Amino acid sequence: MTDVSNRNQLAYIAAQASDARVNVEFETEGMTLNLGPQHPATHGTLRVIVKLDGERVLRADPMMGYMHRGYEKLAEVRTYPQVTTLVNRIDWLGSFANEVPFILAAERLMEVEAPPRAQWIRTILFELSRIANVILFLGDMGVQLGAVTPVFFAFRDREFVLNQIEAVTGGRFHPNFDRIGGLKDDIPKGWTEETTGVLGRIRTFCDEMEDLVTGNEIFQARTRGIGVIPAEVGLAYGLSGANIRGSGVDWDLRRDGGVGLAHDQVDWKVWTHPDGDSFSRYWVRLQEVREACGIIEQLLGGIPSGPVMAKVPRIIKVPAGEAYVETENPLGVMGYYVVSKGDLVPFRVKIRSASFSNISITPWVLEGAYVPDVVSILASLYFILGDIDR
Amino acid sequence: MSSTILAIELAYWQQTGLRALLGLVGVLLPAGILVYLFLFKMMSFMQSRLGPMEAGPYGSLQLLAEVGKFFQKEDLIPAAADRVVFKMAPFVVLISTFLLVLVIPAGPDLWFIDIDTGIFLALAVSSISVIGILMAGWASASKYSLIGGLRAAGQLVAYELPLVLAVMGVVIQAGTLNVQGIVMAQASGEIFGWGGIGNPFILTQFVGFAIFLIAVQAELTQPPFDMPVAESELVTGYLTEYSGLRFLMFFIGEFATAGIFSALAATMFLGGWYVPGLDPTDNLFNVIGPLVLIGKMVLVAFLIFWFRFTYPRFREDQLQQLAWKFLIPLSLVNIVATGILKVVF
């Protein structure tokens, strides 16, 4: 018997066997559902390939890269001050916060330090962009669960925060305001009082969300005990930010990082929640917005006087060396690993973005969930596509 | 078949024409009122925005603009779709809406059909829309549509039961399945011997009223029961592949059914076209009856839409649990209690 006929025979047997199987029992096969790249729940271009058995998820694979923008490579052909323009767009909702770790890394390489006033204003803007970012999540979570009203409140109140950021920096979304050695400008007159008023609005917004969303029985039924991430699993997957604090890990780089921001000058608290489910992630973020309001309020009360810019050369050449700085950004830990060869441009910039690591847990956490929970779990992990495909 | 409408003798064809016209009004008017009043305006005010303001005074002509937009759109049919079923599905859904409007009386002599099993007919034909939704979900040849259609079928079948059982209490109390008879029973009823406002059944059947509204919400697949359309996960479920006029038909069907169910709830629980203090056989009610009914309908629809714009949605299993473990036992208890009290008093 030749090899070919042998193979034919094997194929014949296999076909017979499969026919017989159909006759013996009614086999069902799973359905593959593509959530994305164009899908209402992914607010961007994330694609999640979900294998379903009925409504239960057997396997979920996140596919990234539909929005790759190559910022790491682009940064290699930009001078240091130009890089902030790029990195602004990584997490587009809290863009000032993206600039801070990069500037801090460059400052560490140049061995300059921003004057205290610049550090304080930097911290205020850092926390303002956290509020601008996270309150949109607080509203958007409602939309993902089918309640459309909260997101309108979120957009309404975020506008006040953006106005404050715009008043200082001139840019609503992309301030491009942080400079190596300080800030581009000082804050305008009367800004501190206005900002205090805005913080009052944000606190009211938080109370509204507590009534409208977290206090809602259906919201609790949809999020409590759903998408539970134990602390050790979360740490193993590299979760950070409110996602890991929602699992009960008391870790916040604003307190533990010791980088050049003014968080250690004020009195505040790191919120954690022991449950690790979708609800706890929402709850922790809600408390963090309140806490950020408190941080800003205290900082506004005691901004030191002095210049906002240290003495740096007009043409910035960063000495050779490498530095890694990470800060607690709205989405989680964001770090920049900057390698310099003493040029006008960085030799290499590696960006550690929070969402990229946060989204890596999706296959683990989505397994066995129902289709509606896929959406709520993804929403509660809170990723921004620019932060994944930077 | 020859009879009188408002004491005017009409030929059969005239009557039929008039009924068809009024049927169209009966479907489109509630839909238009609800879309403008609640979807456009109330929802906007709840969300701290103004809603449509440009077309007509306070955006009142926005509805026409929207309908015009849908007319212009291409009637897309997916290549893999089952074309005949796909095209028929919106009609099936709309048929159930048109049949529903038949049973609701708007005055002592204003009705389409006056049969002894009116409520029974209404609850029976309301289930026809399930077939249309299943057809739409299956024929679209899309996974989102299929999941949405199956979810809708499961949900509508589950909530059909509390809907029927909630009505049972009213039927026991009124002693008739005839809708006109239920209105008359409320108009001529007495509360502990005092007949000042009649006896709107919401006073005794408040549990039934609540269950009926919840079940109606689920029948309409509106939030918090909008799992079948769940736009954040299934795009829009069984509506995903529809566009243009066919989408508009689903849309009208949804809102008209919301209006008609509200009118049905108003008829069964709030006294229908009757206002207290007047003689229910008064000819005046043939004029103001429709207005009273629309007013009460808007009142009930307000409740439905209030929930719609405030609540997040249930998950499919939670939704079934609510129906089978809570609403159905509660409505059975309600029926037993109503029966006992009916015998006692």
Side-chain angles (χ1 to χ4, degrees):
Chain A
M1 200 180 278
T2 62
D3 205 31
V4 175
S5 68
N6 196 8
R7 198 182 299 152
N8 284 343
Q9 198 176 3
L10 281 175
Y12 177 75
I13 293 169
Q16 287 290 308
S18 68
D19 275 359
R21 206 163 54 225
V22 168
N23 293 334
V24 168
E25 54 174 332
F26 184 70
E27 277 203 353
T28 57
E29 69 179 79
M31 180 159 87
T32 309
L33 191 70
N34 259 313
L35 292 175
Q38 270 81 43
H39 188 273
T42 59
H43 42 88
T45 47
L46 180 74
R47 177 178 173 210
V48 185
I49 301 172
V50 192
K51 289 215 165 54
L52 296 177
D53 174 20
E55 291 245 358
R56 193 178 281 276
V57 176
L58 298 175
R59 191 180 160 72
D61 292 310
M63 289 285 175
M64 304 163 210
Y66 284 90
M67 218 179 88
H68 191 68
R69 301 180 293 182
Y71 282 172
E72 292 182 3
K73 205 71 192 163
L74 282 171
E76 293 172 14
V77 290
R78 300 283 189 283
T79 62
Y80 281 88
Q82 286 173 336
V83 171
T84 52
T85 317
L86 281 180
V87 299
N88 256 322
R89 280 141 179 89
I90 289 177
D91 159 21
W92 50 62
L93 294 180
S95 37
F96 182 81
N98 297 319
E99 304 172 12
V100 173
F102 176 78
I103 292 293
L104 289 174
E107 281 179 355
R108 188 177 290 178
L109 281 174
M110 288 183 69
E111 291 171 351
V112 292
E113 195 172 328
R117 186 175 176 82
Q119 282 185 16
W120 282 57
I121 298 172
R122 216 179 244 178
T123 314
I124 291 170
L125 288 172
F126 188 80
E127 292 300 320
L128 273 180
S129 54
R130 176 188 309 279
I131 293 175
N133 182 323
V134 175
I135 65 174
L136 213 54
F137 160 80
L138 297 178
D140 178 68
M141 184 81 179
V143 172
Q144 305 293 347
L145 292 174
V148 279
T149 306
V151 81
F152 286 94
F153 293 166
F155 272 111
R156 179 192 69 194
D157 289 340
R158 185 183 71 141
E159 208 56 33
F160 297 109
V161 181
L162 289 181
N163 283 345
Q164 291 315 104
I165 295 176
E166 189 184 6
V168 181
T169 65
R172 255 162 53 86
F173 277 106
H174 303 306
N176 195 19
F177 191 66
D178 216 357
R179 297 286 185 272
I180 295 172
L183 293 168
K184 179 170 170 287
D185 262 324
D186 210 333
I187 51 173
K189 198 181 165 201
W191 188 78
T192 47
E193 291 79 38
E194 266 179 44
T195 310
T196 315
V198 168
L199 294 178
R201 278 180 176 278
I202 299 301
R203 288 207 169 101
T204 317
F205 168 80
C206 289
D207 295 343
E208 277 175 352
M209 286 301 114
E210 211 146 68
D211 288 346
L212 188 62
V213 182
T214 53
N216 188 306
E217 293 80 8
I218 299 177
F219 180 82
Q220 296 210 3
R222 286 295 308 277
T223 51
R224 276 196 188 270
I226 305 295
V228 178
I229 301 174
E232 59 273 18
V233 176
L235 286 171
Y237 275 95
L239 295 201
S240 55
N243 291 332
I244 198 70
R245 285 193 289 276
S247 298
V249 178
D250 189 9
W251 177 51
D252 192 322
L253 282 177
R254 290 178 286 174
R255 184 192 59 195
D256 310 328
V259 289
L261 290 172
H263 286 111
D264 50 350
Q265 310 287 325
V266 292
D267 182 31
W268 61 286
K269 179 178 183 321
V270 176
W271 289 89
T272 57
H273 196 288
D275 288 357
D277 52 11
S278 298
F279 181 85
S280 68
R281 292 191 278 276
Y282 187 94
W283 186 86
V284 165
R285 288 203 174 88
L286 185 65
Q287 303 309 322
E288 283 185 358
V289 171
R290 287 212 175 108
E291 207 60 49
C293 290
I295 293 173
I296 296 171
E297 210 152 60
Q298 293 178 51
L299 287 172
L300 284 172
I303 303 176
S305 57
V308 290
M309 196 71 187
K311 285 231 176 295
V312 285
R314 283 189 85 133
I315 294 172
I316 290 175
K317 271 195 176 180
V318 175
E322 48 194 69
Y324 179 69
V325 172
E326 50 183 12
T327 54
E328 187 73 29
N329 274 40
L331 296 167
V333 169
M334 184 179 206
Y336 288 83
Y337 182 64
V338 182
V339 182
S340 176
K341 297 256 169 163
D343 275 333
L344 288 170
V345 297
F347 177 73
R348 173 85 171 94
V349 177
K350 166 77 181 86
I351 306 168
R352 189 260 187 228
S353 63
S355 295
F356 184 81
S357 305
N358 287 349
I359 206 74
S360 69
I361 202 171
T362 46
W364 188 88
V365 74
L366 290 184
E367 200 183 320
Y370 291 108
V371 174
D373 292 336
V374 170
V375 176
S376 68
I377 293 169
L378 281 179
S380 76
L381 283 172
Y382 191 35
F383 52 89
I384 284 179
L385 260 295
D387 207 39
I388 296 173
D389 299 333
R390 69 261 162 218
Chain B
M1 290 295 274
S2 112
S3 65
T4 56
I5 291 180
L6 296 180
I8 306 164
E9 194 77 36
L10 289 171
Y12 178 68
W13 68 269
Q14 286 169 320
Q15 273 186 46
T16 312
L18 202 61
R19 276 163 202 243
L21 193 71
L22 287 174
L24 210 59
V25 171
V27 168
L28 293 181
L29 190 71
I33 290 175
L34 296 192
V35 170
Y36 174 70
L37 215 56
F38 295 129
L39 189 68
F40 286 171
K41 283 300 177 185
M42 185 181 97
M43 185 189 189
S44 304
F45 293 157
M46 282 173 69
Q47 297 169 349
S48 65
R49 55 196 176 90
L50 289 174
M53 288 297 281
E54 298 297 324
Y58 297 98
S60 51
L61 299 179
Q62 182 66 30
L63 204 57
L64 294 179
E66 300 281 345
V67 170
K69 180 191 77 179
F70 279 118
F71 270 110
Q72 291 168 28
K73 286 194 171 180
E74 189 186 349
D75 184 20
L76 290 169
I77 299 173
D82 188 337
R83 294 179 72 89
V84 180
V85 180
F86 185 84
K87 284 180 175 173
M88 268 169 56
F91 291 96
V92 175
V93 172
L94 215 53
I95 280 173
S96 106
T97 312
F98 271 99
L99 289 177
L100 258 179
V101 84
L102 285 183
V103 297
I104 298 171
D109 302 315
L110 281 178
W111 33 259
F112 292 101
I113 50 168
D114 188 21
I115 54 173
D116 284 341
T117 52
I119 283 291
F120 181 73
L121 176 75
L123 297 174
V125 296
S126 75
S127 318
I128 293 177
S129 66
V130 185
I131 301 170
I133 287 170
L134 260 182
M135 282 163 70
W138 173 254
S140 295
S142 153
K143 287 169 183 170
Y144 295 125
S145 300
L146 182 61
I147 295 179
L150 289 176
R151 280 181 181 180
Q155 174 177 330
L156 299 194
V157 168
Y159 279 85
E160 204 75 3
L161 272 173
L163 193 73
V164 173
L165 295 178
V167 172
M168 285 297 286
V170 171
V171 172
I172 292 171
Q173 215 177 343
T176 173
L177 280 165
N178 183 321
V179 187
Q180 194 71 281
I182 290 174
V183 176
M184 287 299 180
Q186 294 179 74
S188 58
E190 289 175 339
I191 306 165
F192 298 118
W194 176 64
I197 56 166
N199 182 13
F201 286 155
I202 188 171
L203 297 178
T204 45
Q205 291 295 325
F206 50 89
V207 177
F209 182 67
I211 295 171
F212 187 80
L213 276 196
I214 293 172
V216 162
Q217 195 95 336
E219 287 280 302
L220 296 168
T221 65
Q222 284 188 350
F225 305 98
D226 68 332
M227 205 83 269
V229 290
E231 82 289 334
S232 59
E233 57 205 64
L234 294 184
V235 193
T236 41
Y238 58 90
L239 297 170
T240 306
E241 301 294 342
Y242 282 91
S243 72
L245 203 54
R246 284 177 214 282
F247 179 83
L248 181 68
M249 286 168 73
F250 273 116
F251 191 77
I252 290 175
E254 185 188 337
F255 280 87
T257 316
I260 293 164
F261 266 124
S262 308
L264 205 58
T267 305
M268 287 190 300
F269 295 100
L270 301 179
W273 46 262
Y274 176 70
V275 275
L278 294 168
D279 178 22
T281 51
D282 197 336
N283 224 356
L284 179 68
F285 273 117
N286 285 325
V287 182
I288 64 165
L291 299 176
V292 173
L293 187 65
I294 285 175
K296 287 179 178 175
M297 176 199 84
V298 168
L299 211 64
V300 176
F302 171 76
L303 286 176
I304 292 180
F305 282 87
W306 190 8
F307 276 100
R308 176 185 174 133
F309 301 141
T310 311
Y311 272 68
R313 73 174 70 89
F314 280 109
R315 209 172 54 211
E316 191 66 27
D317 56 328
Q318 295 165 343
L319 190 139
Q320 298 284 353
Q321 278 179 11
L322 181 73
W324 293 101
K325 289 188 179 169
F326 181 67
L327 290 181
I328 292 175
L330 190 66
S331 50
L332 287 173
V333 169
N334 184 43
I335 290 173
V336 171
T338 310
I340 291 170
L341 290 174
K342 172 92 174 171
V343 173
V344 170
F345 288 103

